[in-house]
Amino acid sequence: LENIRLRLLELSTDMRERAATAAARMGVANQVELVTADFNTWQADTEHDVVVGIHALHHVLDLEHLYGQIRDSLDRDGVLVVHDMIGRNGHRRWPEALEVVDRIWATLPPELRRSSLTGQVDDQFVDIDRAADGFDGIRAQDVLPVLLNYLHPSLFLGYANVIDPFTDRIYGHNIDLANPEHVALLDHLGDLDDSLLDLGTVTPTHLTALFHPTVQPLRAYGTRTPERSVRDTSVVDTG
């Protein structure tokens, strides 16, 4: 397709060089514009048909600025494609989810409790704050509610919560998909997770959605509407 132009916003020199190399290798260098920019200060200087954010928003400190630039630069029929994390800041568990995770953790064999960070078997689940020394999940819990102040969803899927610690980069490597018991555990965790989400006991930590500058008819999975997927942070946090 020759009527498409990609603008890639990236602050890292190394990442921009990788993108330029890949674009040249694929023969699309003339259609790719590499923009040196920090999401927190980027100023939109042209109109966009589509903006895509894949696991990017939870690294942004000034979400209000970024969302404002996206909203103002999208054409009237434009769309923001989002796939991101919307759980607690630092990707920690909210208290209601941590209680469930701890109860499951107590039933796991040692082989499933080994941390990839330390190599040690953790008797208790370690709820690490990944934003403590960086920007990973720095405002994850604000990604969705702030976005709803700027743009309008048309397709919305919020999913996953208590299953995250068992499948993430710290403990997920322990799961052997060739082991029927491990697969059965994942199935049970998935069923439990879906039930807790549908009941409203926990809120989603992942989001896949389409957002627009103008109001659109909404398609959402079951009762997991955008508003119901926002965790009420005014609730006392005992974690």
Side-chain angles (χ1 to χ4, degrees):
L1 298 177
E2 297 181 354
N3 62 339
I4 292 177
R5 182 169 184 80
L6 301 179
R7 308 185 79 217
L8 306 184
L9 273 60
E10 177 57 58
L11 189 60
S12 165
T13 301
D14 290 342
M15 292 294 283
R16 290 198 306 276
E17 291 177 351
R18 287 175 58 187
T21 300
R25 184 178 66 248
M26 299 172 68
V28 295
N30 292 335
Q31 295 172 256
V32 175
E33 177 186 355
L34 301 177
V35 180
T36 302
D38 181 337
F39 291 151
N40 298 284
T41 57
W42 168 64
Q43 297 290 329
D45 57 1
T46 189
E47 191 173 74
H48 300 98
D49 299 306
V50 180
V51 175
V52 179
I54 305 296
H55 279 278
L57 300 178
H58 69 264
H59 295 284
V60 178
L61 191 58
D62 195 343
L63 290 167
E64 291 81 0
H65 170 81
L66 178 61
Y67 291 160
Q69 294 299 307
I70 293 174
R71 177 197 59 197
D72 295 344
S73 68
L74 279 173
D75 66 36
R76 181 174 177 79
D77 297 321
V79 59
L80 168 64
V81 182
V82 176
H83 179 67
D84 222 304
M85 305 292 292
I86 57 171
R88 190 181 182 185
N89 288 349
H91 304 315
R92 293 181 63 205
R93 301 298 101 191
W94 291 107
E96 62 275 11
L98 183 59
E99 179 181 0
V100 178
V101 171
D102 283 342
R103 289 178 178 271
I104 297 171
W105 199 261
T107 71
L108 296 181
E111 67 192 64
L112 295 181
R113 292 186 277 109
R114 188 175 300 279
S115 169
S116 65
L117 298 178
T118 65
Q120 302 299 311
V121 173
D122 292 332
D123 292 334
Q124 292 185 315
F125 170 64
V126 181
D127 195 23
I128 297 174
D129 182 354
R130 302 187 197 182
D133 58 358
F135 291 90
D136 190 10
I138 188 69
R139 289 188 66 190
Q141 66 200 48
D142 298 325
V143 165
L144 176 57
V146 176
L147 181 54
L148 290 171
N149 290 332
Y150 286 80
L151 294 162
H152 307 277
S154 67
L155 177 68
F156 187 92
L157 174 61
Y159 61 97
N161 187 312
V162 298
I163 197 172
D164 285 353
F166 306 97
T167 59
D168 70 8
R169 289 174 289 180
I170 299 178
Y171 298 106
H173 68 286
N174 296 313
I175 296 290
D176 179 3
L177 295 180
N179 185 326
E181 293 183 359
H182 290 188
V183 174
L185 173 64
L186 286 180
D187 286 341
H188 289 314
L189 289 172
D191 290 341
L192 174 63
D193 213 13
D194 276 336
S195 295
L196 293 174
L197 287 166
D198 291 338
L199 288 168
T201 305
V202 300
T203 50
T205 56
H206 296 253
L207 173 66
T208 298
L210 302 178
F211 282 84
H212 308 264
T214 57
V215 176
Q216 305 282 332
L218 175 64
R219 290 182 295 161
Y221 178 79
T223 58
R224 300 182 203 174
T225 61
E227 293 75 18
R228 199 165 182 260
S229 298
V230 175
R231 206 274 188 179
D232 182 2
T233 57
S234 68
V235 175
V236 176
D237 180 4
T238 58

